[in-house]
Structure formats: structure tokens, C-alpha cells
Amino acid sequence: MFRLESDTALLESFRPKDRQAVELPPGLTFPTFVRHYLAWPHPAGGRVFLVFSTQGGVPTGITFETNGSAGAPVAMCDWCHQSAAGTGVGLLTARVTGTKTAGVHVCTDLSCKQKVEDECDRAGRSAVPELNALVERIGRFASEVLGIDLSGANR
């Protein structure tokens, strides 16, 4: 869990090159406490935003382009390992540099948290270990693929 004190703190969780594209989620009030991660779509579509924090890290934001991904007939999310039909799972891309992008096949609305919680509720087990593993997978993508320093340095 982490706390965002203001809209400025939320925007500063994103890399400088991504901040211009961020549109804050409607109705979000500050300060706000976030369990695991916060995700929301751009009102006009085409982008989804994600803010998360790994254990010992600072809030980290990623701007994803949806690229109008049509999705496979049935695909599995790389983060929550849930399957979805149609556009439920698709390729989301984020900028690594000005000319290089990287992608990941995930739930296109970034609803992984709800899917994990629902599955665990149906199975009668705690969702906490799986949600922690989910945030770790998100963190690995951010650090290893996008090169984001999760400690907040150089942001």
C-alpha cells in the first residue's frame, strides 16, 4: 500500500517523458491510499495509465498505448495469468526511449487486481500473496524492460 498526497505526486510518479500524456482519473481525491496499484483509461481511449509500488520502492507510473489492439480469440495475461476472449487481453506498449517501445500482453483495462481477487474469493483463499506476486511482475516489466528505476532515482 502507498499514499499519494496530491495530483502533483501522482504526476511525478511518471517519467518526465510520459507526464504530458497523463490525464488524471475523474473523481480521484487526495490524499489517496492505493492498495497494490491504481489503473485508469484515458477518457478519449488509446491509453491506459498504471501507478504501482513494489516493496521498498516509490510510486511508479507507466503510460501504455493500447494501439487499438484487437486481441486474440482467447489469450492469457502475462501479469495475472487469467484468460480472456476478444479484446480482454491485448498488447499494451510503453516507450522505452523516444524511438523504442516495448510491449506486454496483459488485460487491456489493467483489471488484473480484480481478476486475482475474484479467483481467490471463489477458491476461498487469501489474495494477498498473489497480489504481491502480481505487483512484482509489474515491477520486473518496469525495471527490466522499460529501464525504470523503482527507487525513484533519476526521475
Side-chain angles (χ1 to χ4, degrees):
M1 180 185 297
F2 58 95
R3 179 177 167 149
L4 293 168
E5 295 293 332
S6 64
D7 56 347
T8 302
L10 175 62
L11 287 172
E12 287 176 351
S13 71
F14 289 86
R15 298 176 292 180
K17 63 182 163 190
D18 292 335
R19 289 180 191 152
Q20 208 170 352
V22 176
E23 189 152 333
L24 298 178
L28 184 64
T29 58
F30 296 96
T32 190
F33 288 94
V34 179
R35 279 196 164 96
H36 306 294
Y37 69 85
L38 175 67
W40 69 98
H42 189 280
R47 290 189 182 106
V48 288
F49 306 102
L50 172 71
V51 179
F52 70 98
S53 180
T54 57
Q55 188 173 355
V58 298
T60 302
I62 301 174
T63 299
F64 286 103
E65 301 287 333
T66 62
N67 302 316
S69 179
V74 176
M76 186 175 80
C77 174
D78 288 340
W79 288 348
C80 69
H81 303 145
Q82 300 293 310
S83 295
T87 60
V89 172
L91 180 66
L92 297 184
T93 60
R95 289 189 297 163
V96 178
T97 65
T99 58
K100 182 179 175 186
T101 60
V104 61
H105 280 91
V106 293
C107 297
T108 54
D109 61 357
L110 298 177
S111 62
C112 299
K113 178 172 48 174
Q114 290 82 8
K115 291 176 181 176
V116 167
E117 288 173 342
D118 289 347
E119 180 185 320
C120 289
D121 285 347
R122 285 191 302 274
R125 64 181 190 269
S126 172
V128 172
E130 291 187 41
L131 290 170
N132 289 340
L134 168 65
V135 172
E136 287 303 313
R137 285 190 286 276
I138 293 169
R140 271 196 309 278
F141 173 79
S143 65
E144 294 173 9
V145 178
L146 299 179
I148 298 173
D149 182 348
L150 301 179
S151 73
N154 301 320
R155 209 173 292 157

